[in-house]
Amino acid sequence: MYPKELKYDREHEWIRTEGDVATMGISHFAQDQLGEVVYVDLPSAGDSITAGDAFGEVESVKSVSELFTPVSGEVVEVNEILADAPETVNEDPYGDGWMIKVRLSNPAEVDELMDADGYQAFLAEEA
Amino acid sequence: MSHDARTTPLFEEHIALGARMVHYAGWQMPVQFSGIMEEHTAVRHGVGVFDVCHMSEFRVFGTDAKAALNRIMTNDLDRIDAIGSALYTVMCDEDGGIIDDLIVYHSGDLEYLIVANAGNKETDWAWLTSHLPESVEATDESDRTGLIAVQGPKALGLVRELAGTDWSMPTRFTLSEASLDGIGVLVARTGYTGEDGVELFCHEKDTVALWRLLLSFPEVVPCGLGARDTLRLEMGYALYGSDMDRGVDPVSAGLGWVVPRTKGEFIGAAAIDRIRSAGPQRKLVGLTVSEGVPRHGHDVLHAGGVVGKVASGTYSPTLGHGIATAYVPAELSGEGMRFRIAIRRKTVEAIVTKPPFVKGTSLSASGS
């Protein structure tokens, strides 16, 4: 449920880095807490985002959750399928349910994030 | 969860089914079991069951019960002179402010059963008892009454099967007694989903057995407050606390139909008459939203200014987009009027739409 190759933050986003590009989505825990996702609001390619800022939001029938980025950079790609099929976030949070790709302006920010074990320990503390 | 929230007789059942629990109106209630979309769909196309034991039940009886209740309720109890019939109504204060919305059942000779919102129980009880003459008795039966809603196009077939062949289903907005596999219940043909179905009153101690009996049918889906809210809002049914409260009158709330013009004196009549004559300043309208999900409290914008707030808002599982109700100035309340709703960082278009948002449900098909 928490792939080893990913990094996680306390806002329940995950990050996968390939070179200087990071792919971002929300964790299994986050999608489960939300319930069926019905709407995802994301930035546009070309937008700049800064670590700690809200960059979008994800809504389920019952609640809304803001998305906070743990990294800074330029959005280079947005997952267009979520506009028509937001439930993909529930069905495949680490795969087809990814949200944005960011060209990192400060790759060192990724080092601050938790690994899968650290994130699960964090979840256990929160519960 | 804090320990001051009350639990219904079905609390342990919900936990065993893995429900997600929330606090609602002072109660710990299931918000969802398998998921709001699945539960919603089950009720629109099959059958779902809801724990509504948190609702309040008051029994009022005596020779003067009808006259006394007619002074308290806006709707006309003449409409339920037939024993077993039921009436949706509100009760208002002297200013026409809505104290609660309720269903009054003419449950027996000189006897009425009132079902009220959980969150208003103390207020309602105090209001009722302080306005009843000594010749009328009232009892609060909430604690000894279980209530389970069985809703959906397949609900009636299920209840018929359980009640046996020599029993006949009550018509819409009536009730009758039944024995379901030996459990004594009052079957009321009422609900809050837009689908045909019933609400089953039982003794508190039989609630678990009744719940299990219903869930013993594989097609029956347990449903939480989440689906209850999406189902009722798709029909435009008002929710106390969101769509109405003490600060709004029934005419502005779109509930003028529960205040018959021909009725005699009742509390709030003069104030409501004045509002009717002058025309309400604000009206509750339905809104269709193409993008995002409107929620209670979001600003409604027109010509660059804030003209109202979202009363109820959700994502409609049936329609696949956002729907809402909002109070807007009466002169802007016409069907097709366009607003924008501020949903945090952006604004989205909202078009006034006459509820029900979802048409052609089993209730509209059944006619009565």
Side-chain angles (χ1 to χ4, degrees):
Chain A
M1 286 202 265
Y2 302 102
K4 293 282 182 201
E5 68 275 20
L6 305 181
K7 297 280 200 171
Y8 301 84
D9 72 2
R10 289 167 171 261
E11 302 290 344
H12 309 289
E13 275 85 22
W14 58 261
I15 294 253
R16 175 189 291 117
T17 44
E18 286 150 296
D20 63 348
V21 172
T23 304
M24 209 185 302
I26 65 169
S27 72
H28 165 76
F29 175 83
Q31 68 80 22
D32 184 58
Q33 285 293 306
L34 273 165
E36 296 104 319
V37 172
V38 296
Y39 181 72
V40 183
D41 183 32
L42 297 174
S44 306
D47 287 357
S48 288
I49 60 174
T50 306
D53 285 357
F55 70 91
E57 59 197 30
V58 53
E59 300 229 28
S60 64
V61 179
K62 207 61 195 163
S63 62
V64 56
S65 187
E66 279 206 290
L67 299 165
F68 292 93
T69 174
V71 295
S72 309
E74 182 196 340
V75 177
V76 292
E77 197 180 341
V78 172
N79 188 356
E80 303 289 350
I81 72 167
L82 299 185
D84 290 326
E87 68 276 10
T88 312
V89 172
N90 300 110
E91 291 160 0
D92 191 9
Y94 304 113
D96 290 344
W98 67 275
M99 291 178 173
I100 56 172
K101 294 186 181 184
V102 180
R103 190 173 308 283
L104 299 170
S105 57
N106 182 7
E109 285 166 345
V110 176
D111 301 334
E112 307 289 312
L113 303 177
M114 292 175 273
D115 63 13
D117 288 342
Y119 179 61
Q120 280 175 276
F122 167 72
L123 289 180
E125 257 172 57
E126 291 273 285
Chain B
M1 282 184 184
S2 70
H3 295 285
D4 53 359
R6 302 189 56 192
T7 57
T8 76
L10 298 175
F11 178 75
E12 298 295 337
E13 302 295 304
H14 301 330
I15 299 300
L17 286 170
R20 188 164 294 166
M21 305 298 287
V22 293
H23 281 198
Y24 178 79
W27 293 77
Q28 285 191 49
M29 299 297 292
V31 66
Q32 66 170 60
F33 292 85
S34 53
I36 294 172
M37 302 283 242
E38 186 179 330
E39 294 163 28
H40 182 105
T41 305
V43 174
R44 285 273 176 260
H45 301 289
V47 52
V49 288
F50 300 80
D51 175 5
V52 278
C53 294
H54 62 308
M55 303 291 284
S56 315
E57 293 87 11
F58 309 126
R59 200 176 290 271
V60 177
F61 48 95
T63 315
D64 301 323
K66 179 186 168 186
L69 287 177
N70 244 343
R71 285 221 7 106
I72 298 170
M73 306 298 169
T74 64
N75 211 338
D76 194 343
L77 271 76
D78 278 352
R79 292 178 173 180
I80 52 168
D81 272 340
I83 289 176
S85 54
L87 185 72
Y88 177 70
T89 184
V90 295
M91 60 181 184
C92 294
D93 61 23
E94 295 291 354
D95 300 325
I98 301 174
I99 296 167
D100 203 1
D101 67 325
L102 325 109
I103 293 184
V104 181
Y105 297 90
H106 191 177
S107 48
D109 260 336
L110 309 177
E111 182 193 279
Y112 295 87
L113 172 66
I114 298 171
V115 177
N117 284 299
N120 293 336
K121 186 179 146 177
E122 279 71 31
T123 309
D124 288 354
W125 179 249
W127 185 264
L128 269 176
T129 50
S130 68
H131 288 90
L132 290 175
E134 289 201 351
S135 57
V136 176
E137 294 206 43
T139 55
D140 175 0
E141 307 209 334
S142 308
D143 287 351
R144 68 176 102 129
T145 307
L147 185 57
I148 297 173
V150 188
Q151 303 276 300
K154 294 184 177 161
L156 298 188
L158 183 82
V159 174
R160 276 199 192 96
E161 188 177 332
L162 286 168
T165 47
D166 54 354
W167 181 80
S168 55
M169 178 66 68
T171 55
R172 278 299 294 173
F173 269 82
T174 68
L175 56 70
S176 65
E177 290 178 22
S179 173
L180 305 184
D181 201 33
I183 303 169
V185 295
L186 266 181
V187 180
R189 186 95 171 265
T190 45
Y192 194 47
T193 61
E195 299 299 331
D196 213 337
V198 298
E199 295 176 290
L200 303 174
F201 296 87
C202 65
H203 194 287
E204 176 272 331
K205 69 176 171 49
D206 291 331
T207 318
V208 169
L210 180 59
W211 178 258
R212 289 182 179 174
L213 175 66
L214 293 165
L215 285 181
S216 70
F217 291 78
E219 69 269 32
V220 174
V221 175
C223 301
L225 293 180
R228 187 168 160 83
D229 193 55
T230 52
L231 288 158
R232 70 94 192 165
L233 190 49
E234 284 188 342
M235 303 310 294
Y237 296 160
L239 172 65
Y240 195 90
S242 295
D243 296 296
M244 58 185 147
D245 55 34
R246 199 72 172 253
V248 63
D249 64 273
V251 176
S252 304
L255 296 173
W257 61 278
V258 301
V259 194
R261 291 166 191 271
T262 52
K263 200 190 150 178
E265 178 54 27
F266 60 92
I267 303 168
I272 294 169
D273 262 357
R274 283 196 298 276
I275 293 160
R276 259 201 178 130
S277 311
Q281 295 189 322
R282 296 179 306 151
K283 276 189 181 172
L284 188 68
V285 295
L287 295 169
T288 293
V289 180
S290 55
E291 190 188 351
V293 185
R295 312 271 185 196
H296 178 77
H298 286 167
D299 285 336
V300 178
L301 314 172
H302 187 261
V306 176
V307 294
K309 289 207 182 291
V310 170
S312 291
T314 192
Y315 173 86
S316 162
T318 304
L319 300 172
H321 57 69
I323 53 174
T325 57
Y327 279 96
V328 298
E331 67 272 19
L332 300 177
S333 64
E335 204 169 350
M337 176 66 80
R338 282 159 200 268
F339 295 96
R340 297 196 72 82
I341 295 179
I343 303 182
R344 289 169 298 279
R345 292 169 297 142
K346 63 158 90 175
T347 71
V348 300
E349 187 173 71
I351 301 171
V352 173
T353 310
K354 192 172 156 43
F357 296 101
V358 170
K359 296 172 173 69
T361 63
S362 59
L363 197 53
S364 57
S366 78
S368 57

